[in-house]
Amino acid sequence: MELPLRARLRAGDQRAFGEIFDDHAQAVYGYALRRLGDWGAAEDVVSLTFLEAWRLRGKLMEEGDSVRPWLFGIATNVLRNTARAARRHRAAMERLPERAVVPDFAEELVGRLDDGARLAAARRALGRLRRTEREVFALCVWSGLDYASAAEALGVPVGTVRSRLSRARTRLRALAEDELRQIGTEPAGSAGQVVSDRVGAVRSMQGRNP
C-alpha cells in the first residue's frame, strides 16, 4: 500500500516532489507575480520556494490534507527575503555616482497603458499596506487560500487572518482607486500566465539523491 503524499515527501520520494510541483507551481507563481509585479522575479521565487521545500521536507507534518499552505508559507518567507535583498540593492545603487541619462529610443511607447501597467498600479497600492496586511490579502484574495490555510501558512491564529484581511480590504480599495486614477485606467481582469520553462529547472533535483 502506497504511503500518503506527505509521508512520501518527508521520506525524500522524488516522485512525490514532482507531484506537488506539478500541482502547485502555477499557484505559487501567480502569488509571487502579483506580489512582485515582475515575471522573471516571480519565476525565481517559484524556483527558490521548491528548492526550500525539498530542503525542509523533513519538517513537514505527516498529518494534514493539501500541502499548499505549507508551500505558501515557504513562498512568503522567500518573498520577505527578496524584499530585504531589493532594499539593500537600492541602498547600494543610491550610493553610486549619478550617470548621464540616456534618451529613450522608443518615446512612442511612453504612456502606453497595458496589463503590465495595471498590475504595477495594483502592486503599488498593495505596497502601501502594512506587510502583514499585504501577505494575508495576497494569500486569501489573490491566491484563494481559506482562512485556516492562510493561518497555517503565516503561523498565526485564524482570527488574526480575518482581522488583517478586513483592514486590508478597506484600505486597499481606496489606495487602488487612487493609483488607477493616476494612470488613467480602470481595473481589468488578470490574464492567465504560464510558468516559464525556466522554472522546470527546479525539477532537475529529482535526479539527485536526497
Side-chain angles (χ1 to χ4, degrees):
M1 181 177 179
E2 190 172 45
L3 292 173
L5 178 65
R6 285 173 175 252
R8 290 163 52 209
L9 185 60
R10 282 172 53 89
D13 186 330
Q14 294 165 2
R15 204 162 47 120
F17 181 79
E19 289 176 21
I20 70 163
F21 183 90
D22 291 340
D23 291 343
H24 302 290
Q26 181 69 51
V28 173
Y29 176 77
Y31 173 51
L33 177 60
R34 289 180 172 91
R35 289 288 306 276
L36 298 173
D38 181 282
W39 286 264
E43 291 167 2
D44 291 340
V45 168
V46 175
S47 299
L48 290 171
T49 295
F50 280 91
L51 286 169
E52 278 294 281
W54 180 255
R55 187 177 70 84
L56 299 173
R57 64 190 184 278
K59 297 183 178 180
L60 176 64
M61 295 178 62
E62 290 192 15
E63 297 78 18
D65 297 319
S66 174
V67 298
R68 179 170 290 197
W70 177 67
L71 287 173
F72 273 84
I74 294 173
T76 298
N77 286 331
V78 170
L79 285 163
R80 289 172 182 169
N81 293 336
T82 298
R84 283 193 290 268
R87 286 194 295 269
R88 288 195 295 268
H89 176 73
R90 284 195 299 270
M93 294 299 292
E94 288 171 359
R95 292 193 292 270
L96 295 176
E98 291 187 7
R99 295 184 296 178
V101 176
V102 179
D104 187 355
F105 68 91
E107 293 182 0
E108 70 275 9
L109 296 180
V110 174
R112 178 181 176 188
L113 299 177
D114 55 12
D115 287 342
R118 283 186 285 268
L119 177 59
R123 188 172 62 86
R124 286 195 301 272
L126 194 67
R128 292 165 66 181
L129 297 178
R130 297 183 180 90
R131 177 178 62 80
T132 54
E133 294 170 350
R134 288 197 304 271
E135 290 174 351
V136 76
F137 182 88
L139 289 171
C140 292
V141 178
W142 277 349
S143 300
L145 268 65
D146 58 26
Y147 293 137
S149 296
E152 181 182 342
L154 296 172
V156 298
V158 172
T160 300
V161 170
R162 290 179 182 273
S163 60
R164 287 179 184 176
L165 183 58
S166 177
R167 289 196 302 270
R169 285 182 186 276
T170 301
R171 296 188 61 210
L172 189 60
R173 185 177 295 110
L175 294 172
E177 288 174 356
D178 180 58
E179 290 289 345
L180 290 167
R181 276 196 301 271
Q182 292 184 40
I183 67 171
T185 189
E186 295 295 329
S190 59
Q193 300 293 338
V194 179
V195 180
S196 166
D197 287 342
R198 287 174 51 194
V199 188
V202 181
R203 303 196 62 176
S204 65
M205 72 167 60
Q206 295 177 44
R208 305 176 189 167
N209 292 326

